[in-house]
Amino acid sequence: MKSMKACLVQSTVHKSLMNQIRLQSTNVPPKTGILMLNMGGPNNLEEVGDFLRRLFEDRDIIQMPLQSFLGPIIAKRRTPAIQERYNMIGGGSPIQKWTRRQGELMCQILDKVCPETAPHKPYVGFRYAHPLTEDTLEEMETDGVQNAVAFTQYPQYSCTTTGSSLNAIYQHYASKNKETKMRWSFIDRWGTNEFLVKAFAELVKAELQKFPEDIRSDVVILFSAHSLPMKTVSRGDPYPAEVGATVNLVMKELDYSNGYRLVWQSKVGPVPWLEPATDKAIEALVKRGRKHLLLVPIAFTSDHIETLHELDIEYGDELAKKVGVETYRRVPSLNDHPIFIKSIADVVSKHLKDEKKNLKSFASKMSYVRKSEVWTDQKLDENTSS
């Protein structure tokens, strides 16, 4: 039986490889391109400065007076410190590696379950790092992609993340004053997908088992997500509610086995952000005698600086020892976990089979992007000041 299963696996892998080779050798354009959108991260230390400059110039995520002037100055001042952090995790962000890996595995599944839209090809479009979204859009046009799906890799929607990436698509075509040849559709949120929830739950269960049995029930699970300025939240951004929905479903899958909190990390600047902050929550729990903690990166789909440095080094190696945490563990990121790959394939396959979504034109969707009052803070400022 094992021999038969091995043969079947080898046969499946062989067929997948042959399909990829045949696609490349015959120059057959991909019928469907899946554009995987994310913030991205510098691939090496030399890219850190440009990454920060693009981030601080983006008014969808950060707003300040004289931003086009001050943004580059702030980025330049912060570059050495951020380079040091990236140096501590290997000299660059692994997010591109994981995103490409996720896309390849996803498209292998899509070619099987959605033959009518095959062949599928994954593309990576980052907002602040290479490959930049605008460069990838040109690649897709050159490849002759027929159907394009903009697929956010942020499971929970925010105007500062997914909204910014969708605006980048709009701005690319608007600046060139030309229409796309591709037929576009969009996936802008998927934080309650059943397989995403199962993937998180399985990883949490496995990590809980690594705690000694006599303290396992005392472990507090801290679901940590990237924070947002309260200015953005007060304008109706749905991100906090959508992250909370994911957390609730994961805990339901775990049968509420442990105490838990939703906490927020990566605050920048002096203005108020979502609370409680992850580091402050850790300190508070220790003061109350809760010294066994399990951190879960609930809004990230792959490892990057917020997991590898902030959660693992700043909080795990430094803060935890300083305040007296006895046991600190962090759930592995989703990366290429089989159930997670199943989840993104499930999200896209259902989307491709939904004719109503697939028939939405690029122009009409992008018109909505610019008119919606939760897409960008910039647009909201224009609306509220008039």
Side-chain angles (χ1 to χ4, degrees):
M1 181 64 74
K2 290 183 179 180
S3 176
M4 184 179 295
K5 288 182 178 179
C7 288
L8 287 172
V9 171
Q10 291 174 359
S11 175
T12 301
V13 172
H14 176 72
K15 288 180 180 178
S16 176
L17 289 173
M18 289 304 294
N19 285 337
Q20 293 178 31
I21 293 171
R22 190 179 302 112
L23 182 62
Q24 294 170 358
S25 62
T26 58
N27 293 319
V28 176
K31 188 171 184 180
T32 304
I34 314 298
L35 176 56
M36 304 179 76
L37 300 168
N38 209 325
M39 179 183 294
N43 297 294
N44 52 58
L45 298 183
E46 289 71 31
E47 293 183 6
V48 172
D50 285 340
F51 170 79
L52 292 176
R53 176 183 55 77
R54 294 186 188 102
L55 189 150
F56 280 100
E57 287 180 341
D58 182 8
R59 289 187 62 79
D60 288 347
I61 191 169
I62 297 172
Q63 290 191 23
M64 66 182 81
L66 303 172
Q67 187 152 347
S68 61
F69 173 73
L70 291 177
I73 294 176
I74 295 172
K76 185 175 182 179
R77 288 181 177 176
R78 289 177 59 88
T79 293
I82 302 302
Q83 283 179 323
E84 180 57 32
R85 294 180 187 180
Y86 276 105
N87 193 46
M88 294 174 70
I89 63 170
S93 174
I95 194 169
Q96 182 179 166
K97 177 193 76 172
W98 285 121
T99 306
R100 291 195 184 281
R101 170 72 173 163
Q102 292 162 351
E104 290 166 1
L105 294 173
M106 173 188 68
C107 284
Q108 289 176 17
I109 297 174
L110 292 176
D111 283 346
K112 297 175 185 176
V113 301
C114 298
E116 65 280 2
T117 53
H120 305 82
K121 181 178 178 179
Y123 293 87
V124 175
F126 288 153
R127 192 69 179 90
Y128 313 117
H130 294 289
L132 293 168
T133 302
E134 50 267 35
D135 295 334
T136 302
L137 291 172
E138 289 298 315
E139 180 187 356
M140 294 172 72
E141 296 282 3
T142 301
D143 285 352
V145 172
Q146 298 178 36
N147 304 308
V149 180
F151 181 24
T152 180
Q153 295 308 289
Y154 308 101
Q156 303 90 5
Y157 177 86
S158 172
C159 64
T160 63
T161 52
T162 298
S164 179
S165 288
L166 293 181
N167 279 335
I169 299 175
Y170 167 83
Q171 291 162 4
H172 172 75
Y173 287 105
S175 66
K176 292 182 174 295
N177 196 27
K178 69 175 184 180
E179 293 186 1
T180 176
K181 298 177 183 178
M182 297 179 285
R183 183 188 187 192
W184 279 91
S185 60
F186 302 80
I187 302 172
D188 58 10
R189 47 169 53 80
W190 46 285
T192 58
N193 176 266
E194 61 175 312
F195 298 111
L196 175 69
V197 171
K198 288 182 182 297
F200 275 125
E202 287 300 313
L203 287 168
V204 171
K205 288 177 184 177
E207 206 64 26
L208 279 172
Q209 290 301 310
K210 297 177 183 179
F211 286 85
E213 187 175 357
D214 60 326
I215 65 171
R216 194 172 300 150
S217 61
D218 294 329
V219 172
V220 178
I221 303 173
L222 294 180
F223 292 94
S224 189
H226 197 294
S227 191
L228 278 185
M230 286 306 298
K231 177 182 178 181
T232 302
V233 176
S234 65
R235 288 174 166 171
D237 194 290
Y239 174 75
E242 294 194 11
V243 175
T246 305
V247 169
N248 184 58
L249 290 172
V250 172
M251 287 308 303
K252 185 176 180 180
E253 186 75 16
L254 295 170
D255 198 24
Y256 299 94
S257 61
N258 293 73
Y260 69 99
R261 297 287 186 277
L262 172 55
V263 295
W264 309 94
Q265 66 181 89
S266 310
K267 174 186 175 181
V268 178
V271 300
W273 286 53
L274 283 168
E275 294 182 345
T278 303
D279 54 348
K280 300 302 181 184
I282 291 172
E283 294 175 5
L285 284 166
V286 171
K287 288 180 180 179
R288 293 166 51 191
R290 307 303 296 271
K291 300 183 178 183
H292 307 293
L293 308 176
L294 178 60
L295 277 288
V296 184
I298 194 64
F300 306 126
T301 59
S302 57
D303 273 319
H304 56 305
I305 196 166
E306 277 90 352
T307 58
L308 298 175
H309 189 276
E310 188 171 4
L311 291 183
D312 291 354
I313 297 176
E314 290 182 44
Y315 300 158
D317 290 344
E318 299 172 1
L319 178 64
K321 294 176 182 177
K322 177 182 177 181
V323 301
V325 174
E326 294 182 9
T327 315
Y328 180 104
R329 303 194 68 89
R330 197 260 292 179
V331 167
S333 296
L334 295 166
N335 294 332
D336 60 353
H337 190 285
I339 302 179
F340 172 66
I341 300 302
K342 187 176 182 180
S343 77
I344 56 178
D346 180 65
V347 170
V348 177
S349 64
K350 287 177 179 176
H351 175 81
L352 291 172
K353 293 172 181 177
D354 187 335
E355 293 184 0
K356 291 182 180 179
K357 286 182 180 177
N358 224 14
L359 288 172
K360 283 185 177 179
S361 70
F362 176 79
S364 64
K365 182 68 173 182
M366 284 296 108
S367 174
Y368 171 72
V369 168
R370 302 311 299 171
K371 292 177 182 177
S372 171
E373 293 192 357
V374 295
W375 284 100
T376 67
D377 279 346
Q378 183 176 7
K379 188 64 180 178
L380 283 164
D381 282 340
E382 295 171 2
N383 289 342
T384 55
S385 62
S386 59

